[in-house]
Amino acid sequence: MSLIPSTLFGGRRSNIFDPFSLDIWDPFQDFPFTSTAISAPRSEFANETAAFANTRMDWKETPEAHVFKADLPGLKKEEVKVELEEGRVLQISGERSKEREEKNDKWHRVERSSGKFLRRFRLPENAKLDQVKANMENGVLTVTVPKEEVKKPDVKAVEITG
């Protein structure tokens, strides 16, 4: 048994040293509280929403653009916001509503996540902020941020004498 939270080394928080990731880190996320006064409200809210609140995103860079993808099953495009903030920050947020409970319902297991999520990424200098496009298809959000073209220096052939 380890006393070091898995979020520090290879667990859910694998990008703590990534300067472009602006995740909000909760230092008490995996801390085992013993007091019921502290743990009851936390487990009620945080544990239910932990998977959705920490929505996983892929960020790949192609020669033409930066492409962000997130799996958001069950969400409509109206429930997701893609925003550009000051300082070249791309913010993706949304909320999945908790399923309504009926008095006669008996739940055996609740594993699907609900609640709010928020992810922020600082975009590089070469991002064309005025041309960002977002698309939601089959529960997958794709945000494409085109890049400035890198101008290659003109190369002149030099005659070799000798």
Side-chain angles (χ1 to χ4, degrees):
M1 182 168 119
S2 173
L3 296 177
I4 301 171
S6 63
T7 56
L8 292 178
F9 302 103
R12 288 185 300 231
R13 184 145 177 89
S14 61
N15 60 352
I16 61 173
F17 299 110
D18 181 356
F20 296 112
S21 176
L22 300 174
D23 290 343
I24 299 169
W25 179 54
D26 178 4
F28 300 107
Q29 179 175 343
D30 292 328
F31 193 83
F33 290 108
T34 55
S35 166
T36 56
I38 295 174
S39 64
R42 177 162 183 80
S43 63
E44 184 178 315
F45 174 74
N47 292 341
E48 276 183 15
T49 62
F52 195 58
N54 295 321
T55 297
R56 297 284 187 225
M57 302 237 4
D58 294 339
W59 175 2
K60 76 175 177 180
E61 182 176 356
T62 68
E64 298 82 28
H66 295 276
V67 181
F68 298 83
K69 287 193 176 198
D71 291 334
L72 303 172
L75 287 182
K76 299 175 189 136
K77 67 180 182 179
E78 296 82 16
E79 298 171 315
V80 178
K81 284 175 41 175
V82 177
E83 301 169 295
L84 285 170
E85 295 182 338
E86 212 172 300
R88 297 183 336 273
V89 174
L90 173 68
Q91 177 172 298
I92 301 170
S93 61
E95 182 173 6
R96 177 178 292 143
S97 301
K98 190 174 182 179
E99 192 168 325
R100 200 175 48 165
E101 294 184 26
E102 300 292 330
K103 285 186 176 182
N104 296 331
D105 290 347
K106 179 181 178 184
W107 291 87
H108 294 279
R109 182 173 294 278
V110 177
E111 292 182 343
R112 294 174 38 222
S113 55
S114 62
K116 295 180 181 184
F117 71 93
L118 171 75
R119 295 297 306 269
R120 301 174 85 202
F121 300 92
R122 185 171 312 280
L123 297 171
E125 294 285 337
N126 66 352
K128 291 183 177 180
L129 301 180
D130 58 336
Q131 297 180 17
V132 175
K133 291 188 168 77
N135 181 42
M136 184 87 147
E137 188 175 329
N138 295 327
V140 178
L141 173 68
T142 303
V143 179
T144 305
V145 183
K147 293 173 20 180
E148 298 283 342
E149 290 183 31
V150 178
K151 294 185 179 184
K152 297 179 182 177
D154 292 334
V155 178
K156 293 183 180 182
V158 176
E159 184 179 329
I160 301 174
T161 59

